[in-house]
Amino acid sequence: MRRYAFVGVCLTLAALFTALGFWQVERRAWKLDLIEKVETRVHAAPSPLPPPSQWGGDLAYRRVRITGRFLHDRETLVQAVTVHGAGWWVLTPMRLSDPEPAFRRATGHPLILVNRGFVPNERRDPASRSAAQLAGRVTITGLLRTSEPGGAFLRSNDPAADRWFSRDVAAIARARDLGPIVPFFIDADSTANPGGFPIGGLTVIAFRNNHLSYAITWFALALLSVGGSVMVMRSGRKRR
């Protein structure tokens, strides 16, 4: 009786492992499609901001071009670690010039947060990079990014203390009293700013794709479970 119970457990596990293996195969197909989609968007010609009717869709990493005026007095520094070391992202609200009618109806004269790039600690003070505090109309090309609410791993944003660990659009807008704002931000491209800072074009696009190895592991466990049940049944027959 114990032998049959053990075989039943092995076959149940084999079915479970097989299902997990096929799930990882499906996940791999989804991930490859996502990577291809993002690569296409990143290298596409820049387009205008999508209208509000599309804001609920998948907009991440779409390449866009906008024109407006920076509100430098309301910039926000968000802690960052990049290839240039530890420092800060400089997020500056931009008031869009001549927005599309759909934008105007939805938000009035809308603002959007622009991640202008990275500055090291010694460039945290805007006075140390005054050449880049551009006045007048500015055109920016970059990638749309989704908001990062809450903070980073084990570190929560603290608006009251002006400590930011993630680019949380809604929270930053409230803290800076920005009013209506586009619900995503833009990572500026590598076009050099006067004076060299902030450094743009540091968007990291990397998707882990270990699904094939996971699938092989699950299928291997399924085979081992089936093999174990076969061995137990054969040993029982030999005893008889």
Side-chain angles (χ1 to χ4, degrees), residues 60-61 143-148 167 183-187 203-204:
Y61 302 105
L143 302 177
L144 283 184
R145 302 294 307 278
T146 55
S147 181
E148 301 166 347
R167 294 163 291 190
F184 36 77
F185 66 94
I186 292 178
D187 269 349
T203 305
V204 175

Side-chain angles (χ1 to χ4, degrees), residues 5-238:
F6 180 79
V7 169
V9 170
C10 286
L11 293 179
T12 300
L13 289 174
L16 175 62
F17 293 149
T18 300
L20 289 171
F22 281 116
W23 176 63
Q24 287 296 334
V25 170
E26 293 174 356
R27 291 279 295 173
R28 180 174 182 270
W30 168 81
K31 184 64 68 65
L32 291 175
D33 180 67
L34 174 63
I35 292 172
E36 182 181 3
K37 183 187 298 183
V38 169
E39 285 293 323
T40 300
R41 290 179 178 180
V42 167
H43 296 102
S47 61
L49 282 177
S53 60
Q54 297 181 17
W55 289 356
D58 179 14
L59 301 175
Y61 302 105
R62 181 179 294 187
R63 196 158 177 251
V64 297
R65 179 172 289 149
I66 60 173
T67 299
R69 298 175 185 271
F70 282 125
L71 307 182
H72 295 292
D73 60 325
R74 301 194 188 184
E75 77 173 25
T76 299
L77 298 179
V78 179
Q79 287 195 6
V81 177
T82 72
V83 294
H84 299 284
W88 310 86
W89 296 125
V90 178
L91 268 69
T92 308
M94 172 182 276
R95 189 173 300 282
L96 296 172
S97 299
D98 304 321
E100 296 291 330
F103 274 101
R104 196 180 294 277
R105 287 194 299 271
T107 60
H109 210 64
L111 296 174
I112 185 168
L113 279 182
V114 178
N115 177 17
R116 301 189 64 201
F118 169 82
V119 294
N121 284 318
E122 61 269 21
R123 298 282 184 166
R124 178 174 180 173
D125 186 349
S128 67
R129 42 185 166 85
S130 58
Q133 303 297 90
L134 303 172
R137 287 164 59 99
V138 179
T139 297
I140 297 293
T141 300
L143 302 177
L144 283 184
R145 302 294 307 278
T146 55
S147 181
E148 301 166 347
F153 180 66
L154 297 180
R155 295 180 298 177
S156 298
N157 293 328
D158 186 355
D162 200 25
R163 287 200 298 265
W164 302 93
F165 302 99
S166 73
R167 294 163 291 190
D168 186 336
V169 172
I172 290 173
R174 287 193 299 270
R176 296 290 182 264
D177 194 24
L178 297 178
I181 193 167
V182 177
F184 36 77
F185 66 94
I186 292 178
D187 269 349
D189 65 9
S190 58
T191 302
N193 285 302
F197 293 96
I199 303 172
L202 298 179
T203 305
V204 175
I205 302 175
F207 298 97
R208 295 182 61 185
N209 187 14
N210 299 321
H211 300 295
L212 180 59
S213 61
Y214 294 156
I216 292 173
T217 300
W218 290 124
F219 287 137
L221 289 173
L223 287 175
L224 287 173
S225 298
V226 171
S229 64
V230 170
M231 290 177 62
V232 169
M233 293 300 294
R234 285 182 176 176
S235 65
R237 291 173 182 173
K238 288 180 179 179

